[in-house]
Each structure stands twice: as structure tokens, then as C-alpha cells.
Amino acid sequence: KNHKTYAAIAPSPDGRLKCKGSPGAGMLRSRCFRVLPLRGLAQTKKKAKAKQQKKQSAPVEVKLAPYIPYELSKETREFFQNQGKFKALLDLVFSPRDPQESDEDQVEYEETKARFDTLCEKASQIYKVHEERAEQRMWRAMQQLPEDLYNEAVASKPEKVPEELLFHNRYRGEIFRSLSEYERRKLQVFHNLMYVRYPHVDEKQRNPERFWIPENQKVSRQREAALANRKIKAKN
């Protein structure tokens, strides 16, 4: 049946549907209208959210670099900025500019140092052999354990040595009492220099994570020097 708003559709001789009186009849008969391109289905919102959650939950590896906080290097900077202390340190470490010793004194020093180096080398060799022997005995003792105790010993974590059994705590008083007044003074100077160089040792033992920062936040020494020069110029 024909209607005012719809066109009658009748089959054509070749079996195709033919639209009569309709302006879109040519579109129905065209090949490009009948063969539509295939398209992928759009992803649902749930799948998109699930992918975002997976990306967020993936762990990100951040490389760390060693770092000393600026406020913890204050004593070291002040020491080297003090000209009097810095000059005294140079005089202590390096040879004097106008030495008072003679050639005989220099020869005596070289001979004494050679004897000291020889004795030190012998002592180091004895200590090294002792350490290797102790390590071999340790592994041999572990291998001789029964199977169940061997696995337990390998899986267990090492325990700290008690403080009273450490070498420097056990023999400190005895060694210090055997030193002369001059040697004690030299030891005190060494402790002072070590404190100037590493005033943050105790803080590093308490908070080791404070001395690590992400590698991308690390400032090179060249850039640090350039920033310091800019600050000096800005003050002037």
C-alpha cells in the first residue's frame, strides 16, 4: 500500500528491492551503501577504568643517589672557611716550608720508615692468613651440620656482636693507657680531624634514609658552584 509519506518498495526483475518515488532509491542500489566498513567495538568505561587502576598500581623504580644535607655540613664548611684553622691543618699535613732538619735527620727518618713499613707488611700478612683460616673453619663447621640444622643456619639472619665484645670497646682502655703523652695528643688531633670531616656520622646511623635522594633531584657540583656565584653577584 502507498502512503503519503512513504514510498512503495517493489522487487526488481533481478531480485533487488527497488524503492519507487523515493529520493534515496539510488543510495539503496549503490555498492558503497550496501558494503559498510568494519569497525572495532568501543571500549566500555569499566574496562578503561580497570586499565587505569592497573597502571597506577604498577610499582615505579626510583633510583637514589647519596646525599649529605646542607645543614649537617655546617661545621666542616666553617672550619675550612676559617683561614687560621685551615693554615694550621696544612702545616700539620704537609711538610713545613722552612724545615730545620739536616740531611742526617732525613736519612734517619727514611731508615726508620722503611723498618716500620716492613713490620707493618709482616703484620698484615699474618692477619690476612688468620682471617682466611677463620673463614675456612666457619664454612667447614656449617657444612658438617645435620641437614635440618644446616638449612636453618643458612636461612637465619646474622646477629650483631655484643658491644662489650667489640675490639675497640674491649681493649680501648688498655691501649690508651699504654700511649705516651705525645701519642695521646696525636690521637686527639686525629679524632678532631675525623669529626671535622664527618660530623654527621651519628645522625647517619640514626636516620640512614635521610642521606639518600632521588637521582633526578641531585644537583651537580658545577651547577651548585654556578648557583653560589649567582648569589654572590646578587649580594654585590
Side-chain angles (χ1 to χ4, degrees):
K1 296 181 180 180
N2 296 334
H3 195 267
K4 293 181 180 180
T5 57
Y6 293 96
I9 299 176
S12 62
D14 57 355
R16 298 179 180 178
L17 293 178
K18 186 177 181 182
C19 183
K20 298 179 179 179
S22 173
M27 291 179 63
L28 289 174
R29 289 193 299 271
S30 65
R31 183 181 299 274
C32 63
F33 184 78
R34 293 196 306 271
V35 182
L36 297 178
L38 299 177
R39 296 182 180 179
L41 298 176
Q43 292 184 353
T44 59
K45 294 183 179 180
K46 292 183 179 180
K47 290 184 178 180
K49 288 183 178 179
K51 284 188 176 181
Q52 289 179 0
Q53 290 177 357
K54 287 182 180 179
K55 290 182 180 179
Q56 292 176 359
S57 61
V60 180
E61 182 180 355
V62 179
K63 292 184 179 181
L64 300 178
Y67 168 74
I68 298 178
Y70 184 78
E71 61 274 9
L72 297 181
S73 62
K74 179 180 178 182
E75 296 186 15
T76 304
R77 289 182 283 103
E78 289 181 350
F79 179 88
F80 285 100
Q81 289 172 1
N82 188 318
Q83 295 298 324
K85 294 181 179 180
F86 186 62
K87 184 178 181 301
L89 176 62
L90 294 179
D91 293 339
L92 177 66
V93 175
F94 297 98
S95 301
R97 295 182 179 179
D98 50 349
Q100 303 297 328
E101 60 185 8
S102 62
D103 294 339
E104 295 178 356
D105 296 334
Q106 183 67 26
V107 172
E108 182 182 359
Y109 168 78
E110 294 294 340
E111 292 177 351
T112 305
K113 187 177 184 303
R115 288 196 298 270
F116 172 80
D117 292 341
T118 303
L119 294 174
C120 184
E121 183 66 22
K122 289 182 179 179
S124 300
Q125 291 295 334
I126 294 173
Y127 181 77
K128 184 178 180 180
V129 172
H130 175 74
E131 287 290 312
E132 291 177 355
R133 190 183 301 126
E135 185 177 1
Q136 292 174 2
R137 289 178 179 177
M138 178 193 69
W139 288 114
R140 194 180 302 117
M142 291 185 63
Q143 291 171 357
Q144 292 175 357
L145 289 173
E147 185 177 356
D148 53 346
L149 296 179
Y150 176 81
N151 295 332
E152 182 181 353
V154 173
S156 62
K157 295 182 179 180
E159 297 181 358
K160 285 187 176 182
V161 180
E163 290 289 332
E164 59 274 7
L165 296 181
L166 294 176
F167 181 86
H168 63 279
N169 289 335
R170 190 170 184 177
Y171 300 101
R172 181 177 182 180
E174 181 181 349
I175 295 174
F176 188 76
R177 287 191 297 269
S178 65
L179 298 177
S180 63
E181 187 65 28
Y182 179 67
E183 291 174 336
R184 292 182 184 182
R185 186 178 179 185
K186 288 170 62 177
L187 179 62
Q188 185 62 46
V189 171
F190 172 75
H191 287 168
N192 293 344
L193 291 177
M194 291 299 293
Y195 178 76
V196 169
R197 180 62 183 87
Y198 305 102
H200 51 270
V201 172
D202 297 334
E203 178 63 20
K204 191 172 184 179
Q205 292 179 350
R206 289 191 296 266
N207 302 314
E209 66 279 355
R210 189 178 177 185
F211 293 81
W212 293 95
I213 59 172
E215 199 173 33
N216 55 3
Q217 297 181 9
K218 186 178 179 181
V219 180
S220 62
R221 292 187 177 182
Q222 291 82 357
R223 187 178 178 186
E224 194 175 49
L227 294 174
N229 291 334
R230 289 181 185 177
K231 289 182 180 179
I232 294 173
K233 290 179 180 179
K235 289 180 180 179
N236 294 336

